[in-house]
Amino acid sequence: MCGRFAVTLPPDAMAQLFNAIPANDLPDVPNFNVCPTTQIHVVHDLDGRRLVSMRWGFIPHWYKAPNDGPLLINARAETIAEKPAFRMACRERRCLIPTSGFYEWTKDEDGNRLPWYITRTDGEPLVMAGVWQDWERDGVAWRTCAIVTCGANAPMSRIHHRMPVILPSEDWAKWLGEAGHGAATLMQPAPEDALAFHRVSPRVNSNRASGPELIEPI
């Protein structure tokens, strides 16, 4: 799964990277501890490429309230086309979620959670595949999203058995639907040499922690 990440790229740089028009209500950056249910940066192509803010935590249309069911921060690639929550979004509402890197945890022999920070080996932004959904009830409206995950590649499997679907720039248009069909073929683990890993401070175990020291190696 992917349950926490960092974003350091300024919004104007993100907009330029994706050739997208930025919204005016984008979340503040840098944020070294992006948590579920907060607003995150997302690129969609509903009416041309747009860099917008969405709630991280997909809300299916039948939920009567945002907390009416499980918190859906991830969508499994293996079942995304079949699950009622994600089926239509997978076909019609795919998006890109730009990050600088994400966190995952192992445990030591005493059960202590040991955080790792995972980035691209080339230092470029790490762009995850996502799906999004509009939800509205009683005058309250949210635009929400989830990160698509797949089975881990061999290096990542030493930390966790799953990983986000990571899209190189040449696949962005296909995932967004701009380059025709074939998005399903992109839901694969990243190449084994694509990612770098390092241990970071247990401070990030708290969702209240902040600051650039969270991603520093220890």
Side-chain angles (χ1 to χ4, degrees):
M1 66 175 294
C2 179
R4 210 88 66 78
F5 60 86
V7 177
T8 61
L9 198 65
D12 57 347
M14 287 190 214
Q16 183 174 6
L17 177 68
F18 294 103
N19 192 26
I21 298 173
N24 295 322
D25 60 346
L26 295 171
D28 292 335
V29 289
N31 186 344
F32 297 92
N33 194 5
V34 180
C35 302
T37 74
T38 60
Q39 295 295 118
I40 65 172
H41 300 82
V42 175
V43 175
H44 68 60
D45 190 28
L46 184 62
D47 52 356
R49 281 196 191 181
R50 307 274 178 169
L51 176 64
V52 301
S53 176
M54 293 190 189
R55 176 191 188 265
W56 182 19
F58 191 99
I59 306 177
H61 66 85
W62 62 82
Y63 277 26
K64 297 178 181 178
N67 59 354
D68 195 33
L71 177 61
L72 304 177
I73 63 171
N74 293 157
R76 295 175 64 94
E78 298 88 342
T79 58
I80 192 172
E82 304 162 5
K83 292 288 185 181
F86 301 118
R87 187 168 51 215
M88 291 307 298
C90 177
R91 295 174 185 169
E92 301 176 359
R93 296 184 300 277
R94 297 186 298 271
C95 60
L96 306 172
I97 300 175
T99 76
S100 301
F102 65 98
Y103 299 97
E104 198 51 83
W105 281 262
T106 55
K107 289 185 177 180
D108 64 16
E109 58 273 12
D110 297 318
N112 298 310
R113 297 180 73 226
L114 309 177
W116 296 75
Y117 185 57
I118 299 106
T119 62
R120 281 181 48 148
T121 52
D122 58 10
E124 293 297 311
L126 190 153
V127 179
M128 303 177 184
V131 291
W132 64 274
Q133 168 78 42
D134 281 335
W135 178 88
E136 184 173 1
R137 202 62 107 243
D138 300 326
V140 177
W142 293 91
R143 182 157 281 183
T144 70
C145 65
I147 293 168
V148 181
T149 66
C150 60
N153 62 20
M156 184 70 201
S157 67
R158 296 196 290 267
I159 299 174
H160 198 274
H161 66 285
R162 297 195 65 78
M163 66 186 300
V165 172
I166 298 168
L167 300 174
S169 57
E170 59 266 25
D171 290 337
W172 295 346
K174 181 176 286 188
W175 182 254
L176 291 174
E178 300 165 345
H181 301 293
T185 64
L186 305 179
M187 292 190 286
Q188 302 291 335
E192 295 192 359
D193 61 352
L195 301 178
F197 314 78
H198 62 258
R199 277 281 316 281
V200 293
S201 168
R203 284 192 61 235
V204 79
N205 292 357
S206 169
N207 59 14
R208 298 181 180 179
S210 62
E213 64 273 12
L214 296 181
I215 65 172
E216 292 298 319
I218 62 169

